[in-house]
Amino acid sequence: MTALSPHPDRLFPANPIERDIARRLYSEVADAPIYSPHGHVDAAMLLANEPFPDPAALLITPDHYVTRFLHSLGVPFDELGLGRDGNPPVSGGRSVWRQLCTHWEAFLGTPVRYWFETELSEVFGLTEQPSAANADDLYDQLAETLGREEFRPRALFDRFRIAVLATTDDPADDLSAHLALRDDPTFTGRVLPTFRADRYMHPDELTWLAKLEQLGAASGIDCGSYDGLLAALCSRRAAFIAAGCTATDTGVIDAGSEPLDAADAERIHRSAIAGNLTGADAVAYRRNMLYRLAEMASEDGLVMQLHPGVIRNHHGPTFDAYGADTGHDLPDTGAYTRPLAPILRDFGTDPTFRLVLFTVDETTFSREIAPLAGFYPSVYAGAPWWFIDSPAGIARYRAAITDSAGFAKTSGFIDDTRAFCSIPARHDMSRRSDSSYLATLVATHQITEDDAVGVARRLVADVPIETFRLPR
């Protein structure tokens, strides 16, 4: 069997001078606490603190980075632990794990392979590369490990040195798990909700009316009117802030943000309820709602994260059978400077307003996001995400962003994960990649090594804390 032994110099430059500098820089941040300001881990998991059910349910099925790639190799979702049409999955954990092991070599060169090698070795102590031949043995070893007390969620939270973990939550969520964790004296970590109101911006979606009812029930405010919807969202934002929330998240197809007057917005709202919505009105309503969310952020100080340019649920049959977040959210071309002009005109220099821009179209890093962050006090350049949160993507991001925005106007690393145990591996990848980038600047005498040490430390602590207004 091939040994599983990640190289200590992985991701460092091949040039020995730069490699030595990168080693020193990395040593300054390797064990630093993790600030994770954007992710999708379920707070209820930490509250319950039950043993993880099986290796596949922990490491494969919830991670669409993994399932989408296996699906691309011809493995049906039915065989990856995903239930069809709301039914329980037909494949057990051992069978799902075998699929990963059988296709292990196909992940070579991908960030998923990097994360898995670090995770399996350093978190779970495996010493052999997965393969079809050893799949059952590795599964048994992992299953036995997950039964130990030190591998329950809270113990791993502490072991991973997570200082702050932000989740992603619907405005109608009662936040009971977050509140219980906050008030639990036996839990010393910080798990913060993040307010995500996407589903209320799209009156053309089939679930919109049901979401209005849920929001109305949660807020005690009738959402049958446009004014009622805005009031309900403001009310829930206040409840989120009381539960520790510091940020919102918004994913839309484009960053258009033209505001409507109240009467026109009310007309569209009532037309949607009556079933008479036009396509043009749906777009106008969504863009107006993006502006209104920015307006709310300028008033309550929640940091606004924006993820435009993603075509959600691209493959209709897969969405119909398995639902959202199954790996076929795909990139579209991005634009920020013109579409965000209304928001930045009105709030771009407001000290309360803060906007973190993410993209999956990396041509916008140097063309739009970095110049915007390099002028507007409110704008920050979000880290590479989804298709580009890889070592190569991070290097391209730093090269594209730094000229215009430096390091201070960036977000810190974003792991964006549902796969809890991959968090330290993903942050370690970022720390190594940034150490390599900084080492190149030092070796070419653009900055001193003392400066590079300071930047490396700030990128893992001060930058995410200050950008997302996190508690220290």
Side-chain angles (χ1 to χ4, degrees):
M1 297 295 177
T2 305
L4 177 63
S5 181
H7 198 283
D9 285 341
R10 58 193 182 278
L11 304 187
F12 293 163
N15 179 297
I17 295 175
E18 294 178 3
R19 184 169 63 243
D20 286 345
I21 298 170
R23 286 171 178 162
R24 294 194 293 271
L25 296 176
Y26 173 70
S27 71
E28 297 285 338
V29 297
D31 297 323
I34 289 174
Y35 290 88
S36 177
H38 178 93
H40 301 276
V41 172
D42 187 358
M45 174 197 72
L46 290 162
L47 178 63
N49 199 35
E50 297 293 333
F52 293 106
D54 68 71
L58 173 64
L59 303 174
I60 300 173
T61 302
D63 192 343
H64 58 62
Y65 287 82
V66 181
T67 57
R68 72 180 301 274
F69 190 69
L70 289 170
H71 179 268
S72 79
L73 301 173
V75 182
F77 282 128
D78 293 342
E79 298 179 24
L80 295 174
L82 298 173
R84 178 187 288 268
D85 300 323
N87 296 312
V90 297
S91 296
R94 186 179 295 274
S95 176
V96 174
W97 175 257
R98 286 172 181 160
Q99 291 289 357
L100 174 71
C101 294
T102 299
H103 296 89
W104 182 247
E105 293 305 309
F107 285 92
L108 278 170
T110 69
V112 174
R113 173 74 176 244
Y114 177 93
W115 299 330
F116 260 128
E117 288 186 345
T118 303
E119 184 178 357
L120 294 176
S121 173
E122 297 183 359
V123 176
F124 295 102
L126 298 188
T127 58
E128 296 177 357
Q129 293 277 1
S131 68
N134 68 6
D136 284 345
D137 288 342
L138 295 184
Y139 184 89
D140 291 338
Q141 183 178 338
L142 287 169
E144 186 277 328
T145 299
L146 290 177
R148 301 177 196 166
E149 190 70 23
E150 62 267 30
F151 281 86
R152 291 200 179 202
R154 294 193 189 188
L156 289 174
F157 189 99
D158 292 339
R159 178 180 167 189
F160 295 162
R161 303 181 303 279
I162 299 175
V164 175
L165 178 69
T167 61
T168 302
D169 310 275
D170 191 280
D173 193 302
D174 64 8
L175 304 181
S176 56
H178 292 86
L179 296 172
L181 284 171
R182 183 195 64 186
D183 297 337
D184 186 345
T186 68
F187 182 70
T188 58
R190 294 176 185 260
V191 180
L192 310 181
T194 299
F195 185 91
R196 184 154 187 172
D198 295 9
R199 298 282 70 84
Y200 305 91
M201 301 172 64
H202 298 85
D204 52 338
E205 290 188 352
L206 294 177
T207 59
W208 185 70
L209 286 175
K211 296 304 294 182
L212 292 186
E213 292 180 3
Q214 293 170 16
L215 182 62
S219 64
I221 299 172
D222 184 1
C223 295
S225 69
Y226 169 69
D227 284 345
L229 172 58
L230 295 184
L233 290 172
C234 286
S235 173
R236 294 305 300 158
R237 288 171 72 102
F240 270 61
I241 291 170
C245 176
T246 70
T248 71
D249 186 33
T250 306
V252 284
I253 188 61
D254 65 62
S257 58
E258 298 86 356
L260 296 171
D261 64 58
D264 209 18
E266 185 66 55
R267 175 189 61 79
I268 297 173
H269 188 92
R270 294 193 181 279
S271 294
I273 291 176
N276 300 321
L277 184 72
T278 68
D281 277 350
V283 171
Y285 188 91
R286 184 242 303 157
R287 291 175 174 172
N288 168 74
M289 287 299 295
L290 185 62
Y291 179 91
R292 298 305 166 194
L293 291 174
E295 187 175 45
M296 293 176 194
S298 74
E299 295 167 353
D300 63 24
L302 289 180
V303 177
M304 186 176 187
Q305 299 176 84
L306 185 61
H307 290 82
V310 177
I311 301 170
R312 303 283 177 178
N313 306 310
H314 188 267
H315 188 240
T318 295
F319 174 72
D320 292 341
Y322 300 100
D325 301 318
T326 43
H328 48 112
D329 293 347
L330 297 174
D332 198 4
T333 53
Y336 299 83
T337 305
R338 292 182 185 275
L340 288 174
I343 285 176
L344 295 177
R345 174 197 65 213
D346 293 342
F347 314 118
T349 57
D350 184 334
T352 303
F353 182 63
R354 184 157 298 174
L355 177 63
V356 185
L357 298 178
F358 294 88
T359 188
V360 285
D361 175 8
E362 60 184 297
T363 65
T364 63
F365 276 140
S366 60
R367 187 180 70 244
E368 302 197 41
I369 293 177
L372 287 168
F375 173 77
Y376 284 100
S378 63
V379 176
Y380 288 70
W385 157 71
W386 196 191
F387 292 93
I388 48 179
D389 59 348
S390 64
I394 291 171
R396 293 192 299 269
Y397 165 82
R398 289 292 175 207
I401 291 289
T402 307
D403 283 353
S404 295
F407 297 100
K409 292 302 296 294
T410 60
S411 68
F413 181 65
I414 303 295
D415 56 67
D416 186 44
T417 188
R418 291 168 176 81
F420 178 58
C421 289
S422 73
I423 289 175
R426 296 178 193 228
H427 283 263
D428 182 76
M429 177 192 74
S430 173
R431 293 171 185 192
R432 289 174 176 274
S433 297
D434 283 340
S435 295
S436 295
Y437 178 77
L438 291 167
T440 300
L441 298 184
V442 174
T444 53
H445 307 292
Q446 298 180 66
I447 64 175
T448 68
E449 187 164 336
D450 286 344
D451 286 334
V453 168
V455 171
R457 290 173 175 169
R458 290 193 294 276
L459 286 174
V460 301
D462 292 344
V463 166
I465 290 169
E466 293 169 7
T467 301
F468 289 93
R469 295 172 170 155
L470 301 175
R472 288 186 180 268

